[in-house]
């Protein structure tokens, strides 16, 4: 495996960053998780745009253009000869001193691209569906650390993941500070009621997921009524179907929430249909390499 760091490729054993990197010391940086399917990088342009927006928001000046970032991702995939991959693009504030002042990171950002394989959940769960729970840790307040910033600081989500695991579940529903459903630890959430799709709006402490947007794009195309609307736990409990979306997890059905069986207790018809349509979209679209 070859890993890209600041324009050079390193073997896995030698792919190292400084202990003074503020990505490590403070989680000061931004990232993207991206997938490629059959030698096409899915929604690469959208992922790079989101990375650049995260960087803009935290005043992290990335010394590469959008085109150069795309090239770094594509080069990493080519050198590793991967047809289907999970790509982690990381940009940290770089090497500084032990204070948190980012102005001390004078060498510039550390840019890393790792391309590997990933299967987030066992295949069985895609066929049978997940059981998830609502956890006590609420999603970061947008006015404190906006979830639109895909920062390297994922403790908020990791705490929720730990709480889900403590409850014997693989995934957690995180609420916003008002008690509305925000999202899961690394996925967006959708419910289906009477043939309509609902997902929380991005202003509610929800990341505007690229997989989420792809589902909304499919819904628009295929005239499935879809709404970005606030959702309560009650509306999740009484939904006909529920599923999660994310680059790593793709589209995964949910069949139990906080002990309540959702719909018929098995992946719903619309969910299975959307999984199929999402798969079709991934192999037809994206930057070729
Ligand atoms: N919400 C959050 C908080 C995320 O981190 C998504 C939604 C889905 O967005 P995309 O654009 O991927 O459809 C994410 C995705 C993991 C993992 O292990 C997930 C993400 C990042 C890193 C790891 O599940 N982000």
């Amino acid at each position: 495996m070859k890993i890209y760091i600041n324009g050079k490729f390193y073997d896995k054993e030698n792919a190292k960053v400084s202990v003074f990197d503020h990505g490590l010391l403070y989680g000061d940086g931004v990232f993207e998780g991206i997938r490629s399917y059959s030698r096409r990088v899915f929604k690469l342009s959208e992922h790079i745009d989101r990375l650049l927006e995260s960087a803009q928001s935290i005043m992290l000046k990335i010394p590469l253009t959008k085109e150069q970032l795309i090239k770094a991702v594509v080069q990493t995939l080519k050198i590793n000869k991967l047809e289907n991959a999970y790509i982690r693009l990381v940009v940290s504030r770089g090497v500084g001193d032990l204070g948190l002042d980012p102005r001390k990171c004078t060498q510039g950002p550390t840019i890393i691209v790792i391309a590997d394989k990933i299967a987030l959940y066992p295949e069985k769960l895609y066929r049978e569906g997940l059981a998830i729970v609502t956890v006590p840790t609420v999603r970061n307040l947008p006015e404190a650390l906006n979830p639109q910033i895909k920062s390297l600081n994922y403790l908020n989500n990791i705490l929720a993941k730990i709480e889900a695991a403590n409850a014997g579940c693989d995934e957690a529903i995180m609420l916003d500070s008002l008690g509305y459903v925000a999202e899961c630890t690394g996925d967006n959430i959708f419910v289906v009621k009477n043939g309509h799709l609902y997902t929380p709006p991005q202003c509610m402490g929800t990341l505007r997921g690229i997989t989420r947007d792809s589902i909304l794009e499919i819904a628009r195309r295929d005239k499935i009524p879809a709404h970005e609307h606030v959702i309560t736990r009650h509306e999740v409990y009484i939904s006909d179907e529920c599923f999660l979306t994310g680059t790593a997890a793709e589209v995964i059905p949910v069949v139990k929430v906080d002990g309540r069986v959702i719909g018929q207790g098995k992946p719903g018809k619309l969910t299975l249909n959307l999984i199929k349509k999402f798969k079709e979209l991934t192999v037809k679209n994206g930057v070729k390499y």
Side-chain angles (χ1 to χ4, degrees), residues 31-34 47 50 86 88 118 120-121 139 147 150 154 157 161 171 174 183-189 206-213 245-250:
F31 80 100
E32 279 296 316
I34 310 166
H47 279 287
R50 190 169 65 182
Y86 181 76
R88 179 60 55 89
I118 187 180
L120 206 59
Y121 298 112
R139 190 73 179 97
K150 258 185 96 68
Y154 252 53
N157 315 58
K161 196 84 174 174
E171 195 42 271
M174 300 183 77
E183 58 181 337
C184 294
T185 64
D187 306 299
N188 292 112
I189 185 164
T206 302
L207 177 75
R208 187 167 160 205
I210 287 165
T211 321
R212 167 190 183 275
D213 278 359
T245 63
T247 299
E250 300 173 297

Side-chain angles (χ1 to χ4, degrees), residues 148-189:
Q148 300 308 331
I149 303 167
K150 258 185 96 68
S151 89
L152 291 181
N153 196 316
Y154 252 53
L155 252 193
N156 180 232
N157 315 58
I158 290 164
L159 288 176
K161 196 84 174 174
I162 290 168
E163 289 160 357
N166 287 345
C169 288
D170 289 322
E171 195 42 271
I173 290 183
M174 300 183 77
L175 306 177
D176 66 19
S177 61
L178 297 175
Y180 292 108
V181 171
E183 58 181 337
C184 294
T185 64
D187 306 299
N188 292 112
I189 185 164

Side-chain angles (χ1 to χ4, degrees), residues 17 33 45 75 91 150 156 178 182 217 232 249 262 272 274 276:
V17 293
S45 175
Q75 272 183 335
V91 183
K150 258 185 96 68
N156 180 232
L178 297 175
E217 182 187 320
T232 62
I262 304 301
L272 293 173
L274 286 168
K276 190 169 146 258

